Amino acid sequence: MVHGFNKDVDKYLFSPASNGYGSLFPKPVRRGFSNFADHLSLPNDVVNHTLQGDLEEATGSAFRFVVNTIFGLAGFIDTATAMDIPRDDTDFGETLTVWGVQEGAYVELPFFGPSTSRDSVGLVTDIILNPFVVVFRNPTQYVGAAAYVVDRMGDRYDYDTSIDSILYDSADSYAQARIIYLQNRRHQLGVAGEETYVDPEFDPYEDPYDDF
Amino acid sequence: MTTSELNRRRFLTAISGATLCAALPTSVLALNDAQAKKLIDKAVVDINKVIASGKSINAMIKDFERIFVKYGDVPIIARSALGPDARNLSKSQINAYTNAFQGYIARKYGKRFNEFVGGKINVGGSRKVKSFFEVKTTVKLRGQAPFEVNFLVSDRSGKSKFFDMIIEGISLRLSEKAEIGAMLDKRKGDINGLIADLKKAG
């Protein structure tokens, strides 16, 4: 099972590597790498916001890219947020959602972890059509991927307790990863409030008092 | 019957009516927006106090358990985490289970309170959903982007209490439902085994 594989990858490779990364570099340095990774994903955000018909956010992301390239040391410093230009990250999975594609089944992807059929298509599309990968040639095109992995290691280190509790302390880590991913992803995609009835299996707004 | 006698009766009816109202659980008096928000305001003041206290983890866990019992509807959260199985339990079993569940939640979430040090929770607006209210709060932790935590408040137990906490879309009640279900499966449906495991978990 993919979940077991991912847990092994985490246990023997990703978690130790992240611990090494976290203890080697202090927080401000890790933040710089994280900012840089976010920065490199902005062109992709611009494309997806545009495809979603959200020109305001597309312009915002483009402006953010320009500001942080020039005034943020090529993206290592997040000057834009300090200037109150917030980041609204998006992906092709969200674009598909806006286009009316259904969520599909929950799946766990090797290395990438929890996803859905729709988000898997989104992820692959984002990787292939990422402006960075399309525009640049070897080896610059891999800068984005490297920054992504480093950023993920930083997250793994910062959220160590939460992730360990889900993966290693719960009675069924597959079930926990699934329910947490799906609820959080639906929240991100703006499936909020009473429209959460897409899955009667877990509707946070069901009334538990009706059952007892 | 004289007029004065009639008036006296009416007066007595009115009096007993008023007394009866006072004796009835608050569920008859529908919960409103402001009351739901007030409950969470008070809970958040208490939580912010614990965060700022700088106490040891074990002391924070105890404080968190007190807050959870005071403002949360522990019996309904516990029962709904167990699901329909909860209906078939004896009274002593349901009490033992609810107690074990309460301690488990307090340890599991209370021990995370040290990550909240230097943080602050702010209460925002509220809205009605079905028979209950959703009160929005924003949590700002040091060096992190703020995130949303919503409390669901109901008075259907007879008192205004929250029965769920939704962190960035993730419902505590539903996540625990999945977890308690998995723990019960591990014990092949044996509730006493689950209670024993809960006492050690978290």
Side-chain angles (χ1 to χ4, degrees):
Chain A
M1 202 163 109
V2 179
H3 182 70
F5 170 77
N6 280 340
K7 257 175 98 165
D8 282 345
V9 170
D10 179 76
K11 194 172 171 182
Y12 298 110
L13 191 70
F14 193 55
S15 173
S18 303
N19 273 333
Y21 169 67
S23 30
L24 211 58
F25 297 99
K27 181 112 189 165
V29 178
R30 298 203 307 272
R31 177 162 305 249
F33 286 135
S34 171
N35 285 340
F36 183 61
D38 285 352
H39 185 70
L40 294 187
S41 70
L42 284 171
N44 192 46
D45 288 352
V46 174
V47 171
N48 277 305
H49 279 308
T50 308
L51 292 175
Q52 291 159 23
D54 191 346
L55 293 182
E56 199 184 316
E57 285 301 342
T59 316
S61 297
F63 185 51
R64 199 181 159 75
F65 187 74
V66 173
V67 167
N68 279 349
T69 302
I70 301 171
F71 303 105
L73 296 176
F76 282 95
I77 296 169
D78 187 2
T79 314
T81 297
M83 285 168 60
D84 255 348
I85 309 167
R87 175 162 189 246
D88 183 18
D89 61 335
T90 185
D91 49 67
F92 198 69
E94 183 165 5
T95 301
L96 290 173
T97 310
V98 171
W99 290 354
V101 177
Q102 294 296 303
E103 180 178 87
Y106 172 78
V107 287
E108 208 171 306
L109 303 173
F111 300 104
F112 289 96
S115 188
T116 60
S117 312
R118 181 180 60 203
D119 287 334
S120 306
V121 175
L123 179 71
V124 172
T125 312
D126 280 332
I127 292 171
I128 297 174
L129 292 184
N130 189 306
F132 249 90
V133 179
V134 174
V135 173
F136 291 104
R137 289 285 161 257
N138 277 332
T140 318
Q141 62 173 212
Y142 297 115
V143 169
Y148 174 86
V149 173
V150 170
D151 187 26
R152 283 296 108 111
M153 290 205 296
D155 287 346
R156 179 69 184 82
Y157 183 78
D158 286 336
Y159 301 103
D160 186 52
T161 328
S162 300
I163 293 164
D164 277 356
S165 114
I166 295 163
L167 286 183
Y168 306 109
D169 296 338
S170 65
D172 183 346
S173 56
Y174 174 82
Q176 282 299 300
R178 174 177 184 271
I179 191 168
I180 288 171
Y181 172 79
L182 286 177
Q183 292 191 89
N184 181 247
R185 181 64 176 158
R186 285 169 189 170
H187 175 78
Q188 262 178 16
L189 294 176
V191 192
E194 288 181 275
E195 301 99 71
T196 326
Y197 297 130
V198 276
D199 189 347
E201 193 195 337
F202 44 87
D203 162 19
Y205 296 95
E206 74 182 356
D207 193 333
Y209 293 92
D210 287 341
D211 295 336
F212 295 100
Chain B
M1 203 189 288
T2 64
T3 337
S4 68
E5 217 171 15
L6 188 71
N7 281 342
R8 191 178 58 88
R9 281 218 188 149
R10 272 197 193 147
F11 175 71
L12 285 176
T13 316
I15 289 273
S16 62
T19 327
L20 188 66
C21 272
L24 279 177
T26 45
S27 61
V28 176
L29 314 160
L31 176 69
N32 65 38
D33 234 14
Q35 285 167 329
K37 197 174 167 293
K38 212 168 104 191
L39 177 88
I40 299 308
D41 271 330
K42 283 202 261 174
V44 163
V45 167
D46 284 7
I47 293 171
N48 278 336
K49 247 184 244 164
V50 178
I51 296 172
S53 72
K55 287 183 186 171
S56 73
I57 278 296
N58 283 329
M60 279 194 182
I61 289 174
K62 285 219 172 63
D63 284 345
F64 177 67
E65 186 165 358
R66 264 194 291 276
I67 293 170
F68 185 47
V69 173
K70 188 172 174 192
Y71 300 102
D73 187 353
V74 180
I76 196 81
I77 301 171
R79 268 181 293 166
S80 89
L82 193 54
D85 287 332
R87 282 196 214 103
N88 308 324
L89 301 185
S90 70
K91 198 158 171 64
S92 67
Q93 271 180 324
I94 194 86
N95 286 340
Y97 162 71
T98 306
N99 266 328
F101 180 83
Q102 178 184 314
Y104 156 74
I105 294 290
R107 287 187 298 277
K108 183 169 175 178
Y109 297 91
K111 73 180 175 197
R112 307 295 298 281
F113 261 50
N114 61 339
E115 291 165 37
F116 282 36
V117 172
K120 192 93 188 141
I121 308 170
N122 288 310
V123 183
S126 71
R127 63 172 187 133
K128 195 173 182 352
V129 184
K130 295 184 177 176
S131 72
F132 50 85
F133 285 89
E134 178 184 53
V135 182
K136 289 185 186 299
T137 72
T138 309
V139 180
K140 179 81 188 82
L141 300 185
R142 246 189 336 219
Q144 271 190 44
F147 57 92
E148 199 180 274
V149 177
N150 298 339
F151 289 87
L152 304 185
V153 179
S154 172
D155 64 356
R156 282 182 70 181
S157 66
K159 275 184 182 159
S160 301
K161 295 208 160 182
F162 74 81
F163 65 92
D164 201 357
M165 212 173 106
I166 303 177
I167 305 156
E168 286 287 305
I170 304 159
S171 152
L172 178 141
R173 187 176 65 85
L174 294 174
S175 307
E176 286 309 326
K177 195 174 183 171
E179 181 63 6
I180 299 292
M183 289 174 85
L184 191 62
D185 284 349
K186 273 197 167 168
R187 285 290 196 162
K188 299 191 169 48
D190 171 29
I191 183 77
N192 295 323
L194 169 72
I195 294 170
D197 288 347
L198 275 177
K199 284 181 180 162
K200 287 175 284 175

